[in-house]
Amino acid sequence: MKYGAVGDGIADDTSAFQKAWENACKGSSKTGSVHVPAGKVFLLNSLHFTGPCIPKPLLFTIDGEMIAQSDPNKWENGENGVIPWLIFDQVDGLAIVGRGMLNGQGKAWWDIHCRDHPGPMMTFSNCGNVTLKSLRFRDSAQTHVLVMGSQNVYISDIKITSPEASPNTDGIHITSSTAVSISHSDIAAGDDCVSIGDQVNSVTVSFVNCGPGHGVSIGSLGRGGTEVAVENIRVSHVNFTGTTNGARIKTWPGGTGYVRGIEFFDIRFSSVQNPIIIDQFYGCSPNCPQTSKGVHIDKVRYMKMSGTSATKVAMKLDCSGLTVPCSNLFMRDIDLSPADGIDSVSSLCSFVQGSAKGIIRPSSCL
């Protein structure tokens, strides 16, 4: 408000936010903060919060509501199309906290082809030592939170909500990043609750409620023959409710590289389609091109997983083929039963090597 913001949800407050950021980030003080006060609604166009900043950490507290333009015609355009909404770039040491709401007002975008969408609601690009805590996100035009080229990012106690039919509205997407933690959060989206892209190492997803949505997905990876490097991913204490997938790994035929060191532990499913799925023919099945290449999926552990499947095939492990089979898969204590309307459930394996211990229902095909 000190920089001229009105906060009535009608006036454009973009300039005031940019000035407040510049003062907090570039000031001479060792401590800096931006406070978005409660009881106000701030209408904002695209904002690029650029570092490096002098204060470490810089505190960005959001207690009010921040809303995007609801009319696609009023969004700013750049060289590569519509500019994303809120970008934090090259900031080391950033804490974004508060009980406020970020509303992307994305409904008008969902009827427009996704290639024209403005991209994520909030982006962390080339950032380090970031905390995102306690905020609420709603109705992004596309992905709600994007972590790219960043390290040591800690996301907790957030709530993301968008309709089941809203296209490409992933909850959180991670790419080209290391050491990312997502915990104690509720995510309802029109796409993946959490999606893990290429060049990612050391991610934990824990104590998350997912649904509706497309599950927690590693991928898709390897599109266009690209080389993949994803490892050390742990998904635990997650509840899936009514999602179209549960624990999913998806790659495109013809990709190379690896996905390895993956663990799914203590997972609950409630009427979930494809509770456990590896799909190495993503985007082309059943008419996939013949290729001897494939992303190598290795050392995947599924443990203590139970609930109901809304598809007859509850465990589908569909791997690349003889030249690049899935290897070293392990299952222990899996108990999946049919959801209402499903007579029975089964498992399906294709080009998979692994072992199982304990109770496995439906019976293991490893």
Side-chain angles (χ1 to χ4, degrees), residues 43-121:
L43 176 65
L44 303 171
N45 218 309
S46 178
L47 279 162
H48 203 141
F49 299 121
T50 306
C53 296
I54 295 172
K56 291 184 180 181
L58 192 153
L59 179 63
F60 200 121
T61 305
I62 303 172
D63 289 325
E65 183 173 0
M66 297 162 61
I67 63 173
Q69 291 280 1
S70 60
D71 183 355
N73 294 317
K74 293 182 179 180
W75 279 67
E76 294 181 22
N77 284 280
E79 293 181 1
N80 298 316
V82 180
I83 301 174
W85 193 31
L86 307 174
I87 305 175
F88 294 88
D89 186 21
Q90 300 180 64
V91 184
D92 184 18
L94 173 66
I96 304 176
V97 300
R99 292 291 177 180
M101 165 74 78
L102 286 82
N103 188 343
Q105 301 203 106
K107 188 177 186 304
W109 289 101
W110 299 335
D111 294 328
I112 301 172
H113 196 287
C114 61
R115 66 167 175 252
D116 299 319
H117 290 188
M121 178 184 285

Side-chain angles (χ1 to χ4, degrees), residues 125-360:
S125 174
N126 302 299
C127 293
N129 302 299
V130 174
T131 296
L132 175 63
K133 185 176 181 180
S134 303
L135 292 176
R136 293 169 293 156
F137 296 81
R138 179 177 177 180
D139 293 348
S140 179
Q142 205 171 45
T143 299
H144 289 79
V145 178
L146 170 63
V147 179
M148 62 182 294
S150 298
Q151 59 186 357
N152 300 319
V153 178
Y154 307 97
I155 300 172
S156 66
D157 191 31
I158 68 169
K159 185 173 183 177
I160 294 174
T161 307
S162 61
E164 185 174 7
S166 56
N168 297 296
T169 54
D170 296 63
I172 302 169
H173 181 65
I174 305 164
T175 184
S176 302
S177 296
T178 301
V180 180
S181 170
I182 302 165
S183 67
H184 297 90
S185 296
D186 298 330
I187 303 175
D191 209 304
D192 297 320
C193 292
V194 178
S195 58
I196 296 168
D198 198 5
Q199 305 299 314
V200 172
N201 186 1
S202 300
V203 170
T204 62
V205 180
S206 60
F207 297 100
V208 168
N209 295 315
C210 170
H214 294 184
V216 172
S217 295
I218 298 171
S220 63
L221 301 166
R223 186 173 188 176
T226 55
E227 185 173 354
V228 173
V230 175
E231 61 184 328
N232 300 326
I233 312 296
R234 189 171 196 263
V235 181
S236 63
H237 314 295
V238 173
N239 297 318
F240 294 99
T241 304
T243 53
T244 59
N245 299 278
R248 177 164 67 158
I249 302 173
K250 51 179 178 174
T251 71
W252 292 73
T256 59
Y258 58 82
V259 173
R260 66 192 182 198
I262 313 298
E263 181 175 291
F264 296 99
F265 172 75
D266 192 19
I267 309 293
R268 300 289 181 269
F269 306 101
S270 179
S271 194
V272 170
Q273 301 173 45
N274 309 306
I276 297 172
I277 180 169
I278 293 176
D279 179 6
Q280 293 213 260
F281 299 93
Y282 183 75
C284 65
S285 182
N287 299 310
C288 295
Q290 295 294 320
T291 176
S292 60
K293 296 180 179 179
V295 176
H296 183 204
I297 296 175
D298 184 41
K299 297 178 182 176
V300 183
R301 296 162 64 88
Y302 301 93
M303 299 182 294
K304 196 181 177 184
M305 305 173 77
S306 64
T308 56
S309 173
T311 48
K312 289 188 175 183
V313 178
M315 293 189 288
K316 182 179 180 181
L317 310 176
D318 194 7
C319 298
S320 289
L322 284 172
T323 55
V324 194
C326 296
S327 58
N328 298 305
L329 269 64
F330 176 74
M331 288 188 172
R332 186 179 69 199
D333 299 334
I334 310 294
D335 190 0
L336 300 175
S337 57
D340 290 344
I342 303 294
D343 295 332
S344 61
V345 291
S346 62
S347 58
L348 174 66
C349 290
S350 179
F351 300 107
V352 187
Q353 176 270 321
S355 61
K357 289 184 178 181
I359 296 171
I360 307 293

